[in-house]
PDB file of all heavy atoms in Angstrom:
ATOM      1  N   ALA A 187       5.034  31.487 -17.454  1.00  0.00           N
ATOM      2  CA  ALA A 187       5.703  32.755 -17.180  1.00  0.00           C
ATOM      3  C   ALA A 187       6.726  33.045 -18.213  1.00  0.00           C
ATOM      4  O   ALA A 187       7.393  32.108 -18.635  1.00  0.00           O
ATOM      5  CB  ALA A 187       6.321  32.652 -15.807  1.00  0.00           C
ATOM      6  N   THR A 188       6.823  34.195 -18.665  1.00  0.00           N
ATOM      7  CA  THR A 188       7.822  34.580 -19.671  1.00  0.00           C
ATOM      8  C   THR A 188       8.681  35.711 -19.169  1.00  0.00           C
ATOM      9  O   THR A 188       8.161  36.717 -18.721  1.00  0.00           O
ATOM     10  CB  THR A 188       7.117  35.058 -20.970  1.00  0.00           C
ATOM     11  OG1 THR A 188       6.288  33.982 -21.441  1.00  0.00           O
ATOM     12  CG2 THR A 188       8.184  35.347 -22.047  1.00  0.00           C
ATOM     13  N   ALA A 189       9.954  35.557 -19.182  1.00  0.00           N
ATOM     14  CA  ALA A 189      10.842  36.575 -18.655  1.00  0.00           C
ATOM     15  C   ALA A 189      10.914  37.748 -19.671  1.00  0.00           C
ATOM     16  O   ALA A 189      10.754  37.533 -20.877  1.00  0.00           O
ATOM     17  CB  ALA A 189      12.256  36.013 -18.486  1.00  0.00           C
ATOM     18  N   HIS A 192      15.433  41.483 -22.304  1.00  0.00           N
ATOM     19  CA  HIS A 192      16.105  41.374 -23.579  1.00  0.00           C
ATOM     20  C   HIS A 192      16.861  42.707 -23.821  1.00  0.00           C
ATOM     21  O   HIS A 192      16.308  43.761 -23.958  1.00  0.00           O
ATOM     22  CB  HIS A 192      15.134  41.197 -24.714  1.00  0.00           C
ATOM     23  CG  HIS A 192      14.512  39.835 -24.814  1.00  0.00           C
ATOM     24  ND1 HIS A 192      13.386  39.468 -24.068  1.00  0.00           N
ATOM     25  CD2 HIS A 192      14.907  38.716 -25.436  1.00  0.00           C
ATOM     26  CE1 HIS A 192      13.082  38.209 -24.354  1.00  0.00           C
ATOM     27  NE2 HIS A 192      13.994  37.707 -25.089  1.00  0.00           N
ATOM     28  N   GLY A 306      19.241  37.707 -23.380  1.00  0.00           N
ATOM     29  CA  GLY A 306      17.925  37.556 -22.810  1.00  0.00           C
ATOM     30  C   GLY A 306      17.428  36.140 -22.801  1.00  0.00           C
ATOM     31  O   GLY A 306      18.146  35.212 -23.005  1.00  0.00           O
ATOM     32  N   ASN A 307      16.104  35.995 -22.663  1.00  0.00           N
ATOM     33  CA  ASN A 307      15.442  34.650 -22.563  1.00  0.00           C
ATOM     34  C   ASN A 307      14.838  34.271 -23.940  1.00  0.00           C
ATOM     35  O   ASN A 307      13.922  35.008 -24.425  1.00  0.00           O
ATOM     36  CB  ASN A 307      14.354  34.691 -21.510  1.00  0.00           C
ATOM     37  CG  ASN A 307      13.602  33.334 -21.422  1.00  0.00           C
ATOM     38  OD1 ASN A 307      14.116  32.282 -21.877  1.00  0.00           O
ATOM     39  ND2 ASN A 307      12.401  33.403 -20.911  1.00  0.00           N
ATOM     40  N   THR A 308      15.411  33.248 -24.592  1.00  0.00           N
ATOM     41  CA  THR A 308      14.868  32.807 -25.844  1.00  0.00           C
ATOM     42  C   THR A 308      13.757  31.775 -25.654  1.00  0.00           C
ATOM     43  O   THR A 308      13.190  31.316 -26.649  1.00  0.00           O
ATOM     44  CB  THR A 308      15.974  32.237 -26.770  1.00  0.00           C
ATOM     45  OG1 THR A 308      16.638  31.144 -26.105  1.00  0.00           O
ATOM     46  CG2 THR A 308      17.035  33.345 -27.052  1.00  0.00           C
ATOM     47  N   GLY A 309      13.605  31.316 -24.450  1.00  0.00           N
ATOM     48  CA  GLY A 309      12.497  30.313 -24.157  1.00  0.00           C
ATOM     49  C   GLY A 309      11.222  31.029 -23.818  1.00  0.00           C
ATOM     50  O   GLY A 309      11.126  32.251 -24.038  1.00  0.00           O
ATOM     51  N   SER A 310      10.281  30.283 -23.458  1.00  0.00           N
ATOM     52  CA  SER A 310       9.005  30.841 -22.997  1.00  0.00           C
ATOM     53  C   SER A 310       8.326  29.930 -22.050  1.00  0.00           C
ATOM     54  O   SER A 310       8.666  28.806 -21.947  1.00  0.00           O
ATOM     55  CB  SER A 310       8.134  31.077 -24.250  1.00  0.00           C
ATOM     56  OG  SER A 310       7.822  29.859 -24.909  1.00  0.00           O
ATOM     57  N   GLY A 311       7.304  30.417 -21.396  1.00  0.00           N
ATOM     58  CA  GLY A 311       6.597  29.638 -20.508  1.00  0.00           C
ATOM     59  C   GLY A 311       7.426  29.116 -19.431  1.00  0.00           C
ATOM     60  O   GLY A 311       8.179  29.845 -18.792  1.00  0.00           O
ATOM     61  N   ARG A 313       9.951  27.000 -19.688  1.00  0.00           N
ATOM     62  CA  ARG A 313      11.176  26.496 -20.172  1.00  0.00           C
ATOM     63  C   ARG A 313      12.093  27.631 -20.562  1.00  0.00           C
ATOM     64  O   ARG A 313      12.282  27.921 -21.769  1.00  0.00           O
ATOM     65  CB  ARG A 313      11.007  25.500 -21.338  1.00  0.00           C
ATOM     66  CG  ARG A 313      10.187  24.285 -20.957  1.00  0.00           C
ATOM     67  CD  ARG A 313      10.118  23.251 -22.067  1.00  0.00           C
ATOM     68  NE  ARG A 313       9.349  22.108 -21.621  1.00  0.00           N
ATOM     69  CZ  ARG A 313       9.191  21.052 -22.407  1.00  0.00           C
ATOM     70  NH1 ARG A 313       9.653  20.972 -23.617  1.00  0.00           N
ATOM     71  NH2 ARG A 313       8.451  20.036 -21.907  1.00  0.00           N
ATOM     72  N   PRO A 314      12.686  28.410 -19.628  1.00  0.00           N
ATOM     73  CA  PRO A 314      13.507  29.501 -19.948  1.00  0.00           C
ATOM     74  C   PRO A 314      14.845  29.056 -20.527  1.00  0.00           C
ATOM     75  O   PRO A 314      15.324  27.961 -20.206  1.00  0.00           O
ATOM     76  CB  PRO A 314      13.741  30.178 -18.629  1.00  0.00           C
ATOM     77  CG  PRO A 314      13.621  29.062 -17.606  1.00  0.00           C
ATOM     78  CD  PRO A 314      12.509  28.174 -18.175  1.00  0.00           C
ATOM     79  N   ASP A 315      15.381  29.867 -21.393  1.00  0.00           N
ATOM     80  CA  ASP A 315      16.688  29.569 -22.001  1.00  0.00           C
ATOM     81  C   ASP A 315      17.469  30.842 -22.172  1.00  0.00           C
ATOM     82  O   ASP A 315      17.260  31.600 -23.096  1.00  0.00           O
ATOM     83  CB  ASP A 315      16.490  28.898 -23.386  1.00  0.00           C
ATOM     84  CG  ASP A 315      17.820  28.463 -23.999  1.00  0.00           C
ATOM     85  OD1 ASP A 315      18.855  28.520 -23.291  1.00  0.00           O
ATOM     86  OD2 ASP A 315      17.836  28.131 -25.155  1.00  0.00           O
ATOM     87  N   TYR A 316      18.295  31.202 -21.200  1.00  0.00           N
ATOM     88  CA  TYR A 316      19.037  32.474 -21.241  1.00  0.00           C
ATOM     89  C   TYR A 316      20.234  32.363 -22.028  1.00  0.00           C
ATOM     90  O   TYR A 316      21.089  31.457 -21.834  1.00  0.00           O
ATOM     91  CB  TYR A 316      19.340  32.946 -19.801  1.00  0.00           C
ATOM     92  CG  TYR A 316      18.054  33.243 -19.061  1.00  0.00           C
ATOM     93  CD1 TYR A 316      17.384  32.308 -18.428  1.00  0.00           C
ATOM     94  CD2 TYR A 316      17.603  34.516 -19.073  1.00  0.00           C
ATOM     95  CE1 TYR A 316      16.172  32.623 -17.721  1.00  0.00           C
ATOM     96  CE2 TYR A 316      16.437  34.907 -18.451  1.00  0.00           C
ATOM     97  CZ  TYR A 316      15.736  33.912 -17.777  1.00  0.00           C
ATOM     98  OH  TYR A 316      14.587  34.258 -17.068  1.00  0.00           O
TER      99      TYR A 316
END
Side-chain angles (χ1 to χ4, degrees):
T188 302
H192 288 87
N307 177 21
T308 60
S310 62
R313 296 187 180 183
D315 184 10
Y316 291 88

